[in-house]
Amino acid sequence: MAVFGNLIAGEWRVGTETRANINPSDTNDVIGEFTVGSRRDVEDAVAAARQAMKGWASHTEQQRADILFRVGEEMFARREDLGEQLAREEGKTRAEGIGEVIRASQIFRFFAGEVVRFGGEFLPSVRPGIDVSIRREPVGVVGLITPWNFPIAIAAWKIAPALAYGNAVVLKPADLTPASAWALADILHRAGVPAGVFNLVMGRGTIVGQAIVEMTDAVSFTGSVATGTGIVQTAASRMIRVQCEMGGKNPLVVMDDADLDVAINCAVDGSFFQTGQRCTASSRLIVHEAIHDRFIAGVAERLEKIVTGHALEAGTQVGPVVDAKQLEQDLSYIDIGEKGGAHALVRGQRLNRETPGFYLSPTLFTETTNDMRINREEVFGPVAAVIRVKDYEEALATANDTPFGLSSGIVTRSQKLSQHFQANSESGLTMVNLPTAGLDYHVPFGGRKGSSYGPREQGRYAAEFYTIVKTSYAMPV
Ligand code: NAD
């Protein structure tokens, strides 16, 4: 079997150590062997990036925009095969995989536009005869570390602004999803990104990831709180800038005046689609007592009909869990929920399908309280818990009572309540009559409290992280 290599200084470098990329819908299906990089590879990639960066920043805006646009165009043209490959290696459904590739292509096209729209400011000085200008410059060599659950979209929303604003990049994808990152690296390489400006180093987090944090000028990370916390500490000790997007325990509030169908749709989509493996998934369903029984009956009815199966099979609505370790974690949280006193109205079961895979049906816990472990800790699987509340004040207080703060939602017909919720929810994203997951690509993304650290990603706000401000004073003589 051919081995996929790392892209360092414009060359594909195949290492001696490799890792098999396994399809979670069919563990007999090996997608490929991927190189496991070393600390030395990171050293080489950072050196190449440092060298190439000068030339990249002085490319004309039009040249940089053209390259990014070409990347977006190829991704869009190949959305079917890239989406299928993504579904094959990660386990999301084919439709979800294609949707993610389309989104990534839109991000590249958006930032192609941003390259030529981007400007500074020119101000009068408070002193006579002096001009003041403010410009934004690239930060340098940026290390990007990504998780497995959105292997193309998250890489895209870090790479595109990094390159658009003139930085050079070293990307380390998650070990479970190297194929999507490799495909993206191949597209960037062929689209004309100069050698060394973009580097891919696949490998272990503790070796390649750690080396990136120790060697680059800035790090943008998405992943778990535990990993992010360590990265922030190392980055702080080097005084480099760092941005972390991490976990969530996102609440969906369902008020007594809610449209029941909308509430059920928001809960089923937000909690269980993409196998619940979304940082923005609704895992706490906070429901007004007057609608509680009808709501849980409606969600349970939908869950009984959900088709969990092979990610590439027509009709599958929920694919498998990503790997054996995550499946183990999901099952253990089902156990923790039951032992903690929650009632499994719908209890997740390991499922057997034609092919061997990590299939798990959804779990809906009811009669839970917000202090239970299943409502405090991120499960990252198809598991949601219902918390019954007596009024809006209790719902809002419960929604905010969490160490996380990524996304939140409310289902209500009341404009007054929805406005109050959007103003008072302690999260980076708030939704009204929409699932807590599902976002646009052109507006800022990020959370608060334990979910995020550093400036926002995506849209024009990405410039906050990927550029450094310079203020220049001049007295014309
Ligand atoms: P993870 O933290 O285990 O890994 C993320 C990345 O960090 C991987 O590439 C991994 O190899 C690397 N890594 C691991 N140890 C490292 C170290 N010591 N130094 C540097 N890098 C290291 O997370 P995961 O399991 O891949 O992803 C799931 C998590 O990601 C969940 O907590 C989820 O909520 C979160 N997530 C957050 C967002 C968001 O935007 N907030 C989006 C998607 C996923």
Side-chain angles (χ1 to χ4, degrees):
M1 187 176 274
V3 175
F4 294 87
N6 285 322
L7 180 64
I8 297 170
E11 286 177 2
W12 293 105
R13 195 187 280 189
V14 175
T16 45
E17 189 186 348
T18 64
R19 186 182 200 277
N21 185 10
I22 309 284
N23 179 348
S25 301
D26 177 359
T27 53
N28 292 324
D29 177 24
V30 179
I31 294 144
E33 288 286 337
F34 289 79
T35 294
V36 175
S38 62
R39 192 176 171 86
R40 176 72 204 272
D41 290 327
V42 178
E43 268 167 22
D44 292 350
V46 171
R50 224 171 267 303
Q51 187 59 33
M53 196 181 135
K54 301 167 197 133
W56 178 240
S58 61
H59 264 58
T60 67
E61 268 63 19
Q62 190 60 52
Q63 287 169 321
R64 293 212 305 268
D66 287 345
I67 291 173
L68 294 179
F69 198 79
R70 275 200 292 279
V71 173
E73 288 292 275
E74 177 168 344
M75 294 185 86
F76 188 76
R78 292 178 51 201
R79 60 194 179 279
E80 301 268 344
D81 68 279
L82 291 171
E84 185 163 312
Q85 174 173 269
L86 201 171
R88 197 171 150 218
E89 76 167 344
E90 197 268 355
K92 61 185 68 180
T93 65
R94 184 197 302 263
E96 288 167 341
I98 293 170
E100 184 176 333
V101 174
I102 292 173
R103 177 165 179 193
S105 75
Q106 288 163 333
I107 291 169
F108 274 100
R109 289 182 290 190
F110 174 86
F111 280 104
E114 282 304 282
V115 174
V116 287
R117 262 193 297 269
F118 196 57
E121 280 183 85
F122 188 77
L123 285 83
S125 166
V126 291
R127 290 171 283 162
I130 294 176
D131 294 328
V132 185
S133 63
I134 301 165
R135 78 184 88 184
R136 285 180 176 271
E137 297 182 348
V139 181
V141 177
V142 182
L144 309 178
I145 302 176
T146 53
W148 48 262
N149 67 332
F150 285 98
I152 280 199
I154 294 181
W157 80 53
K158 293 182 191 299
I159 296 167
L163 295 182
Y165 301 129
N167 301 281
V169 166
V170 180
L171 170 71
K172 191 213 103 57
D175 313 22
L176 291 174
T177 51
S180 295
W182 192 94
L184 186 49
D186 173 51
I187 292 171
L188 285 157
H189 184 52
R190 286 185 293 97
V193 176
V197 169
F198 173 84
N199 302 272
L200 171 74
V201 187
M202 301 174 284
R204 291 188 195 87
T206 48
I207 295 171
V208 170
Q210 179 70 24
I212 285 175
V213 184
E214 287 172 12
M215 294 179 200
T216 53
D217 302 324
V219 175
S220 179
F221 163 83
T222 301
S224 63
V225 175
T227 310
T229 307
I231 288 176
V232 168
Q233 285 164 356
T234 306
S237 72
R238 296 187 55 227
M239 307 277 268
I240 60 164
R241 62 172 65 188
V242 60
Q243 169 185 65
C244 292
E245 287 301 337
M246 299 167 286
K249 200 68 208 169
N250 310 295
L252 177 73
V253 170
V254 178
M255 289 308 297
D256 51 345
D257 68 344
D259 179 315
L260 189 61
D261 288 338
V262 171
I264 293 168
N265 280 337
C266 287
V268 172
D269 175 327
S271 306
F272 302 104
F273 285 2
Q274 218 186 288
T275 327
Q277 297 174 151
R278 293 189 283 194
C279 50
T280 48
S282 344
S283 47
R284 294 183 299 139
L285 306 173
I286 299 168
V287 185
H288 192 288
E289 60 187 8
I291 199 172
H292 177 274
D293 293 357
R294 284 177 291 144
F295 172 78
I296 62 171
V299 174
E301 194 188 324
R302 285 278 301 278
L303 294 186
E304 299 296 354
K305 291 188 205 136
I306 267 193
V307 181
T308 301
H310 194 298
L312 295 177
E313 220 163 78
T316 294
Q317 290 171 294
V318 173
V321 172
V322 72
D323 72 347
K325 191 166 154 246
Q326 183 65 46
L327 179 64
E328 202 51 50
Q329 176 169 318
D330 297 352
L331 290 169
S332 95
Y333 271 109
I334 296 173
D335 203 38
I336 288 166
E338 285 184 324
K339 287 197 174 121
H343 170 62
L345 182 64
V346 181
R347 194 190 189 286
Q349 308 286 347
R350 272 218 70 171
L351 302 172
N352 289 319
R353 293 289 178 257
E354 263 176 41
T355 49
F358 308 113
Y359 300 107
L360 176 67
S361 62
T363 297
L364 181 69
F365 280 120
T366 55
E367 310 307 333
T368 77
T369 53
N370 200 41
D371 57 359
M372 289 179 178
R373 271 185 73 190
I374 47 161
N375 282 324
R376 307 304 298 174
E377 298 166 17
E378 187 183 47
V379 179
F380 220 55
V383 179
V386 177
I387 303 167
R388 191 199 307 247
V389 289
K390 61 180 185 318
D391 55 25
Y392 170 74
E393 283 68 32
E394 188 184 352
L396 178 64
T398 307
N400 285 340
D401 178 9
T402 171
F404 296 103
L406 186 53
S407 186
S408 67
I410 187 167
V411 187
T412 179
R413 288 190 171 95
S414 160
Q415 200 177 3
K416 187 174 158 210
L417 287 190
S418 60
Q419 283 178 350
H420 188 273
F421 185 82
Q422 292 207 298
N424 293 283
S425 170
E426 294 166 5
S427 61
L429 309 156
T430 64
M431 312 286 174
V432 174
N433 298 323
L434 289 166
T436 54
L439 309 162
D440 287 1
Y441 65 86
H442 67 303
V443 286
F445 168 75
R448 293 189 189 179
K449 301 200 277 191
S451 292
S452 287
Y453 188 90
R456 289 286 179 261
E457 300 199 73
Q458 301 195 56
R460 305 182 79 172
Y461 284 69
E464 288 305 318
F465 181 75
Y466 291 102
T467 63
I468 279 184
V469 171
K470 180 182 279 173
T471 312
S472 304
Y473 296 83
M475 188 168 73
V477 286

